[in-house]
């Protein structure tokens, strides 16, 4: 696993918290790796950078707001300049949702779509010519188990994560022969702060650590599994507990899935 990441430049969005932060820290223990850490929270990103540098990784911060999609082409160009290239792009930054279909205003759908989906394709499209020219690139799209099937109180989030599946699976089929690899990661419930920042119906953060999140898979285990799968250039990595079983049931026995889904506790 380690050798795959050596001598690579890896750009991670959402590196200030949860899966992105843990990914940066685990990767920083690998020799000859260069990291670009992105997010909005400069103070926390500097703390993560400090840990990574202590582990001997070369590490730069590139501040960005994924909602400001008109700025992202420029940010991707800046990222390439930082270490002269981007080898592995990890699209991790994102927000979730806690509101029913009926009460969710269209602005919330658009906001989640911008942050969780459109931001990633703008960055990807800017990086692709550079990767194709070099004959190598690896795009990692962190979707979700919510990108595999619908889930209550997550209509906008599920839509954005399903969109990632459609886009990145197509990209994978189009470009693998040219040396650009795509890995779609679908975590289930992982112990991070994602439920705290999830968007409620009035656009404010949910502000609560949900039970499901609290009892989810520890983030270090999730990231270890993810990095192992990326190094194997897997097309898809499903990570989690019972949620992963649900994804398999959805694909193989949809009627059973719909019966079980009616019993899901969305919090
Ligand atoms: N935890 C789970 O159970 C779970 C399950 C499935 C999928 N995922 C996916 O995993 C990814 C990481 O989530 P997490 O669980 O680690 O959540 P988290 O702890 O809340 O971290 C989210 C990260 O996204 C960044 N972010 C959010 N909005 C942003 C914006 N507008 N611009 C730039 N960065 C932004 C945050 O950085 P700043 O605040 O610094 O901007 C933060 O670093 C997300 O795509 C999520 O959908 C998580």
């Amino acid at each position: 696993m380690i050798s795959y990441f050596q001598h690579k430049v890896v750009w991670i969005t959402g590196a200030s918290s949860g899966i992105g932060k843990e990914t940066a820290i685990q990767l920083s223990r690998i020799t000859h790796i260069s990291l670009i850490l992105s997010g909005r929270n400069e103070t926390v990103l500097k703390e993560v950078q400090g840990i990574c540098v202590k582990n001997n990784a070369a590490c730069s911060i590139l501040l960005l707001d994924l909602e400001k999609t008109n700025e992202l082409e420029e940010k991707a160009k800046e990222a390439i300049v930082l270490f002269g290239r981007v080898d592995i792009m990890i699209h991790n930054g994102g927000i979730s949702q806690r509101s029913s279909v009926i009460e969710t205003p269209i602005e919330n759908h658009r906001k989640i779509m911008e942050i969780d989906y459109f931001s990633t394709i703008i960055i990807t499209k800017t990086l692709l010519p550079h990767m194709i020219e070099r004959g190598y690139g690896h795009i990692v799209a962190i979707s979700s188990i919510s990108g595999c099937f619908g889930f209550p109180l997550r209509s906008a989030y599920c839509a954005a994560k399903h969109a990632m599946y459609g886009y990145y699976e197509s990209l994978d089929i189009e470009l693998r022969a040219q040396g650009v690899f795509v890995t779609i990661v679908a975590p289930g419930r992982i112990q991070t702060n994602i439920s705290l920042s999830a968007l409620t119906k009035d656009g404010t953060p949910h502000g609560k650590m949900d039970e499901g999140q609290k009892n989810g898979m520890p983030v270090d285990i999730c990231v270890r599994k993810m990095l192992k799968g990326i190094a194997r250039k897997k097309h898809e990595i499903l990570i989690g507990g019972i949620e992963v079983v649900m994804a398999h049931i959805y694909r193989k026995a949809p009627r059973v899935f719909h019966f079980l889904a009616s019993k899901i506790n969305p919090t």
Side-chain angles (χ1 to χ4, degrees):
M1 186 280 269
I2 288 170
S3 63
Y4 182 69
F5 293 100
Q6 279 174 330
H7 301 285
K8 297 281 193 325
V9 178
V10 186
W11 181 12
I12 308 160
T13 62
S16 59
S17 178
I19 295 172
K21 176 180 173 183
E22 181 63 24
T23 301
I25 292 170
Q26 289 195 22
L27 285 177
S28 70
R29 299 188 188 118
I30 294 172
T31 51
H32 307 297
I33 195 163
S34 305
L35 301 172
I36 304 170
L37 311 181
S38 285
R40 292 164 301 176
N41 191 329
E42 189 172 12
T43 311
V44 183
L45 284 173
K46 280 189 171 156
E47 285 167 23
V48 181
Q49 183 188 36
I51 299 169
C52 294
V53 168
K54 236 184 189 162
N55 288 338
N56 282 327
C59 188
S60 288
I61 290 173
L62 181 61
L63 287 178
L64 53 74
D65 185 339
L66 295 171
E67 195 177 356
K68 296 184 179 157
T69 42
N70 59 335
E71 296 177 4
L72 295 178
E73 189 178 333
E74 211 41 54
K75 291 288 177 185
K77 288 178 183 162
E78 281 176 44
I80 295 170
V81 170
L82 283 172
F83 292 103
R85 63 187 198 277
V86 172
D87 296 306
I88 303 176
M89 174 71 229
I90 304 186
H91 290 298
N92 165 76
I95 55 166
S96 188
Q97 174 197 10
R98 292 295 182 278
S99 57
S100 71
V101 167
I102 297 282
E103 64 191 4
T104 302
I106 194 71
E107 304 84 71
N108 292 15
H109 282 275
R110 288 195 197 281
K111 184 180 171 101
I112 290 172
M113 223 42 191
E114 291 291 340
I115 295 172
D116 289 1
Y117 173 65
F118 281 110
S119 70
T120 76
I121 68 172
I122 293 164
I123 291 172
T124 295
K125 274 182 69 67
T126 312
L127 294 181
L128 278 181
H130 151 84
M131 288 177 164
I132 291 167
E133 195 188 337
R134 296 182 54 245
Y136 171 78
H138 197 148
I139 307 275
V140 179
I142 313 256
S143 174
S144 168
I145 287 284
S146 303
C148 301
F149 52 79
F151 199 89
L153 309 187
R154 311 279 198 284
S155 54
Y157 181 68
C158 283
K161 295 298 187 179
H162 273 73
M164 285 184 98
Y165 256 90
Y167 183 88
Y168 287 101
E169 213 159 70
S170 305
L171 181 64
D172 192 4
I173 297 163
E174 282 185 28
L175 289 184
R176 198 160 267 245
Q178 294 181 57
V180 178
F181 302 96
V182 175
T183 299
I184 300 174
V185 184
R189 281 174 157 160
I190 313 300
Q191 286 172 18
T192 71
N193 288 336
I194 192 147
S195 69
L196 297 173
S197 58
L199 221 55
T200 60
K201 62 180 177 184
D202 53 14
T204 56
H206 180 55
K208 284 185 218 150
M209 174 61 74
D210 282 348
E211 276 303 298
Q213 226 65 61
K214 201 164 70 188
N215 300 322
M217 176 182 276
V219 70
D220 58 322
I221 296 175
C222 165
V223 170
R224 256 198 300 281
K225 285 175 186 281
M226 179 179 87
L227 294 178
K228 211 166 144 189
I230 296 170
R232 288 183 183 163
K233 297 190 180 125
K234 286 182 81 168
H235 297 276
E236 184 190 35
I237 310 169
L238 301 172
I239 305 170
I242 186 75
E243 321 85 82
V244 171
V245 179
M246 283 292 274
H248 291 304
I249 294 174
Y250 177 80
R251 288 170 182 181
K252 293 193 174 109
R255 285 173 72 106
V256 178
F257 167 83
H258 283 284
F259 170 74
L260 295 172
S262 64
K263 309 203 176 309
I264 283 176
N265 173 5
T267 60

